[in-house]
Amino acid sequence: MKSYPTIEDIIGSTPLVRLQRLPGDVGEPRGNVILAKLEGHNPAGSVKDRAALSMILQAEARGDIRPGDTLIEATSGNTGIALAMAAAVRGYRMVLIMPDNSTQERCAAMTAYGAELILTPSQGGGMEYARDLALRMQSEGKGKVLDQFSNADNPRAHYETTGPEIWTQTEGGITHFVSAMGTTGTIMGVGSYLRERNPAVRIIGAQPAEGAHIPGIRKWPEAYQPSIYDPAGVDAFEPITQEQAETMARRLAAEEGIFGGISSAGAAVAALRVAAEVRDATIVFIVCDRGDRYLSSGVFN
C-alpha cells in the first residue's frame, strides 16, 4: 500500500522567496538580496507549528504526557492555534488561555481544532496574567503546562528544522537573519544553528518601540523574560513602531503578494533597515504567519 504523509509530516520545508519591489535602492543597487521565509505555509498557518509539535512529541518521548491528558498553555495566538492542531492530531485535550484583545480569527481557529479557550482581561495583566493562570491551573492538577517560554523543545524545533532549511535554501550564503521576538524560540534556535555553520552570520531581533502593541513582538518585564532567551544570541535589535509594522503589512501584501501578519511586517521593516547599512548581503527574515488571522483588526482596511 502506498504511504501518504500525515499533517505532522508536512510541518516545515516552507518556501524562501525574494522580495522584488520593496527593497528599491537598498536591494540590487547595493548587491543585497532580501528573502522572506513563508511560515504561513505550515498546516496551522504559522512558524509555531514547528515548536508546538516538538514540545508535544518530546514530552511524550520523556513520558511526561500521554494521549488523553489535558494540556494547558498561555498564548497570544499562533502558539495556541498550533498547539490546538497538534493536540487534535495526537489525542490531547487542549486548554488555551489568552488575553481578550486577540482577534476573532485566532479565537475561532483555536476552537475549530477543539480547544477550550479561556479569555483573560487584556487590561488586567495581559499575557503575564495568562502565564500565571496557566501555572496556577497546573498546580491545581488541572493539566500539564508545556510552557513555550521555558521549554527547550521550542528553540530545539528551529535548531533542527528552520535553521537547516534556511542554510540549505541560501546554499550557505546567508549573512543576516532577522526575526520578530516573542517567546524568542525562533531567533534562539535558528540563530544558534546558523552561527554554528558560520559565526559571521548576524542575528537581528525586531522588538516593539515604546508604546507599540504588535501581536507576536514583545519586550517582556524582567520577571517574565523567557528562560529560553540568551541575550548573547542576538547581535542587534531594531525597534518597530505600530505604524511602521501596520504600514509594512499592507505594503507586503499589495507590492509583493506576501500576505503576512503584523509581526512578520515588523521583521520586514528590520530587514530593510539592515539592507540600508550593508552591501552584498543575503538577508533572511521570518514571515511567521498569515495575514488573514488579522482581518478583523482593521489593519488591512
Side-chain angles (χ1 to χ4, degrees):
M1 180 181 293
K2 179 177 173 59
S3 176
Y4 293 94
T6 68
I7 280 288
E8 294 178 37
D9 297 324
I10 63 168
I11 292 174
S13 300
T14 56
L16 187 70
V17 301
R18 176 175 58 87
L19 296 191
Q20 302 177 77
R21 299 174 63 190
L22 281 174
D25 291 342
V26 305
E28 288 188 15
R30 298 178 68 89
N32 296 327
V33 58
I34 303 172
L35 303 168
K37 182 75 164 154
L38 303 183
E39 290 296 300
H41 283 237
N42 282 306
S46 85
V47 68
K48 301 295 188 178
D49 288 21
R50 300 175 187 261
L53 184 62
S54 173
M55 290 190 294
I56 288 179
L57 291 181
Q58 296 303 324
E60 284 181 357
R62 290 189 296 269
D64 295 340
I65 60 174
R66 58 185 180 185
D69 287 349
T70 296
L71 307 180
I72 305 170
E73 192 72 14
T75 177
S76 62
N78 285 331
T79 299
I81 296 170
L83 278 172
M85 178 270 292
V89 171
R90 303 297 299 180
Y92 293 89
R93 177 173 174 257
M94 189 76 235
V95 177
L96 297 167
I97 306 171
M98 189 168 66
D100 60 10
N101 60 349
S102 298
T103 62
Q104 299 170 13
E105 293 87 354
R106 283 183 283 178
C107 294
M110 294 175 196
T111 56
Y113 284 119
E116 176 187 341
L117 188 57
I118 298 174
L119 295 178
T120 61
S122 56
Q123 299 302 317
M127 271 300 296
E128 289 83 357
Y129 176 81
R131 289 170 63 180
D132 288 342
L133 178 57
L135 293 174
R136 185 162 71 246
M137 290 177 66
Q138 177 177 247
S139 69
E140 294 169 352
K142 296 179 178 178
K144 170 73 175 181
V145 174
L146 294 171
D147 194 1
Q148 58 183 314
F149 304 96
S150 65
N151 192 326
D153 297 323
N154 176 353
R156 173 179 178 172
H158 302 290
Y159 178 87
E160 293 181 346
T161 67
T162 323
E165 287 173 26
I166 291 170
W167 183 260
T168 299
Q169 288 169 318
T170 62
E171 298 180 343
I174 181 173
T175 59
H176 298 76
F177 174 69
V178 182
S179 175
M181 295 179 64
T183 67
T184 72
T186 303
I187 199 167
M188 289 290 100
V190 174
S192 179
Y193 178 84
L194 293 176
R195 279 178 156 174
E196 283 185 9
R197 300 307 298 264
N198 178 7
V201 174
R202 296 275 291 172
I203 310 300
I204 316 297
Q207 288 195 323
E210 189 69 31
H213 299 282
I214 304 168
I217 304 183
R218 288 293 306 264
K219 187 180 291 184
W220 297 98
E222 187 64 32
Y224 290 89
Q225 187 75 259
S227 62
I228 59 173
Y229 173 59
D230 177 4
V234 182
D235 295 302
F237 303 93
E238 290 290 342
I240 311 297
T241 69
Q242 193 83 28
E243 182 180 3
Q244 289 166 341
E246 294 182 359
T247 298
M248 182 57 71
R250 293 188 288 270
R251 292 191 66 191
L252 275 171
E255 299 179 41
E256 296 284 353
I258 296 174
F259 190 26
I262 317 306
S263 59
S264 306
V269 170
L272 290 169
R273 286 183 191 163
V274 170
E277 300 296 327
V278 298
R279 292 184 179 275
D280 303 318
T282 298
I283 303 163
V284 175
F285 72 97
I286 296 288
V287 178
C288 59
D289 63 2
R290 298 191 298 248
D292 53 9
R293 56 187 52 169
Y294 301 90
L295 289 173
S296 64
S297 73
V299 168
F300 295 99
N301 293 350

